Amino acid sequence: MLIAVVGQGYVGLPEAVAIASAGHTVYAAESDPTRHASLTRCHSYIAEVDSVDLRRLTEAGRYRPVLDASQAPSCHVYLIATPTTLTSRHTPDLSHIDAALAAIARSARPGALIVLESTTYPGALRHHVAPLFEKLSGLRAGADVHFAYSPERLDPGRGTVLEEVPKLVSGLDKRSGQLARDFYETVFQHVVEVSGAEIAEFAKLLENTFRYVNIAYVNELSKTAKAMNIPFREVVAAAASKPFGFMPFHHGPGVGGHCLPSNVHYLNYALAAAGAPSELLTVAERINSSMPDYTVERLRRILSRTGTPLRGARILVLGLAFKADVADARNAPTHAISDSLVRAGAAVRVADPWVARQQRTDSFELVELTAEECTSADAILLVTDHRDVDYDLVLNSGTVILDCRGHLSAQEVEQL
């Protein structure tokens, strides 16, 4: 079949490659000129996609980069895998989805299946996406074209095989759901169809906010444990020895990435619209958002014991990506930590072997990890525990170290 995948980021690119590998022809729409240029050169900018595979599929004619979905011929299936961000008021921003729909409306013909994979709130497909497309295209949902929702389930940096992760699907109607199931079964090993799009939309948010709330729980308890002089990571490890009824979560300097920080707001937006906002989600967001400042305060106290004020101190932060072994720095806690350190008068330098570029608004300098960087710093802050880092170099520097991830020996460094 002819498939258009709109958005070639951390979701769209791996899925486009998986679909092309299954024998379909994929028109990969990416509006960012730099990314599009990389794709046309068969160069992958995502660790989960090998450039060799990209070239093989491109040369076979099964992966075809385009700047816009309207540049593709009429396709059997259109997948929308664009970012869903937040407005300045922390409400859902669906502008990327809207732009994708506008492009698809110029290409789609009757009989097409349009699947939203971007995370959104319950009811978005039925009450926003489908009506907007009808207005843009003149085609009727359920009669001329079909709509379904199938949330992405990626776990970057873990080596998870995309096709082995159960694929959740649901259509706006029975026929749409069946078409979506039939398509995804050509790519994924196991497809789970649910009875309504709202169920699939809610399930995606439940999956992510479950993790977010539990992280908030251990983040809060870690502060109390620190005040009690009890090593909290050992507490979690001890509890995890129970083979049932417990799932370990680990505290850290903040929650980042493209999903978790925004998903809590997407779900609470829908709950508030239904007249039942969640106090739990509100408190969880407040706790997790407090962790960067808490981390800086812990560092200030550690430095004060050595007679070094935070103002004027040189701080080396290890890690810019939001999690280990990925290059994604979106909403990463290092941004908030650096801003807080700079406001306190510190000079911040960040080393991350996975992240090659920084944003213009970043308050730090991106540097290579060297012995000189380590020894010239007043303190080293381990925020992201990538595997391919010379931790012996860090430990042998003699510099004060605050480990936010429990990666280093508690006997050698300070723990968050």
Side-chain angles (χ1 to χ4, degrees):
M1 296 195 295
L2 300 183
I3 314 296
V5 181
V6 185
Q8 292 294 282
Y10 286 86
V11 175
L13 179 52
E15 188 152 14
V17 168
I19 293 168
S21 298
H24 303 292
T25 297
V26 175
Y27 288 87
E30 176 53 61
S31 60
D32 181 274
T34 302
R35 283 186 168 185
H36 175 72
S38 293
L39 296 175
T40 57
R41 296 194 307 269
C42 302
H43 174 71
S44 173
Y45 39 80
I46 293 176
E48 283 73 22
V49 174
D50 195 314
S51 295
V52 173
D53 293 332
L54 202 57
R55 179 169 297 280
R56 172 178 55 82
L57 293 168
T58 301
E59 291 177 348
R62 296 208 302 274
Y63 183 88
R64 304 179 181 184
V66 293
L67 274 167
D68 188 283
S70 65
Q71 296 177 358
S74 178
C75 292
H76 300 98
V77 181
Y78 295 85
L79 304 185
I80 301 175
T82 55
T84 41
T85 56
L86 297 170
T87 68
S88 59
R89 296 184 177 183
H90 290 107
T91 56
D93 179 2
L94 304 185
S95 59
H96 293 289
I97 293 176
D98 295 350
L101 290 171
I104 294 171
R106 297 193 293 272
S107 170
R109 298 292 180 267
L113 170 65
I114 301 169
V115 185
L116 178 63
E117 293 216 349
S118 307
T119 303
T120 187
Y121 55 86
L125 185 70
R126 190 179 306 276
H127 301 298
H128 179 88
V129 173
L132 177 59
F133 184 80
E134 289 181 327
K135 181 179 179 181
L136 292 169
S137 67
L139 300 173
R140 297 167 298 163
D144 302 316
V145 292
H146 306 279
F147 280 90
Y149 183 71
S150 181
E152 55 85 8
R153 284 174 163 173
L154 295 180
D155 191 11
R158 299 290 180 88
T160 306
V161 179
L162 179 66
E163 296 89 336
E164 294 178 356
V165 178
K167 190 65 169 144
L168 195 65
V169 302
S170 184
L172 281 187
D173 52 65
K174 188 175 181 179
R175 175 61 176 160
S176 299
Q178 184 61 54
L179 289 172
R181 183 186 187 102
D182 291 345
F183 162 65
Y184 281 116
E185 283 182 340
T186 68
V187 181
F188 291 85
Q189 295 179 11
H190 185 49
V191 176
V192 180
E193 185 178 1
V194 295
S195 62
E198 289 79 6
I199 293 174
E201 290 167 328
F202 206 142
K204 171 60 179 178
L205 292 177
L206 177 61
E207 293 168 12
N208 284 355
T209 55
F210 167 81
R211 179 167 178 76
Y212 190 88
V213 168
N214 278 282
I215 291 173
Y217 181 50
V218 295
N219 275 342
E220 183 172 54
L221 291 184
S222 72
K223 298 178 183 179
T224 305
K226 179 61 66 177
M228 299 169 69
N229 199 29
I230 297 174
F232 189 64
R233 294 194 190 279
E234 191 172 348
V235 172
V236 173
S241 67
K242 182 182 179 182
F244 55 89
F246 182 81
M247 179 181 294
F249 290 85
H250 306 286
H251 69 280
V255 179
H258 67 288
C259 279
L260 267 62
S262 62
N263 287 178
V264 63
H265 294 288
Y266 269 68
L267 181 52
N268 229 359
Y269 170 84
L271 297 177
S278 168
E279 293 183 21
L280 178 61
L281 292 179
T282 300
V283 171
E285 195 277 332
R286 184 167 66 244
I287 293 170
N288 287 335
S289 295
S290 75
M291 293 308 292
D293 283 342
Y294 171 76
T295 300
V296 171
E297 177 58 22
R298 285 274 294 119
L299 184 62
R300 185 192 66 77
R301 293 184 181 184
I302 292 167
L303 283 173
S304 69
R305 296 203 298 264
T306 67
T308 304
L310 188 56
R311 180 171 293 280
R314 178 164 166 161
I315 310 299
L316 175 62
V317 179
L318 302 184
L320 175 54
F322 82 93
K323 65 181 288 190
D325 305 325
V326 302
D328 190 352
R330 286 177 293 177
N331 302 310
T334 290
H335 294 293
I337 290 170
S338 175
D339 290 345
S340 183
L341 285 169
V342 170
R343 286 196 299 270
V348 182
R349 299 162 79 82
V350 176
D352 192 311
W354 283 78
V355 182
R357 294 185 300 171
Q358 60 191 105
Q359 301 172 12
R360 291 181 181 178
T361 56
D362 283 337
S363 53
F364 54 81
E365 182 179 352
L366 200 59
V367 299
E368 294 291 328
L369 179 62
T370 64
E372 182 180 358
E373 284 291 346
C374 292
T375 55
S376 61
D378 293 296
I380 298 173
L381 190 61
L382 175 53
V383 175
T384 312
D385 52 339
H386 295 301
R387 284 176 292 185
D388 53 348
V389 169
D390 188 349
Y391 290 108
D392 287 336
L393 180 72
V394 176
L395 290 170
N396 293 333
S397 67
T399 305
V400 172
I401 301 170
L402 174 57
D403 180 3
C404 300
R405 299 294 184 182
H407 186 88
L408 304 174
S409 170
Q411 285 71 43
E412 298 179 276
V413 303
E414 296 280 351
Q415 296 287 337
L416 183 65

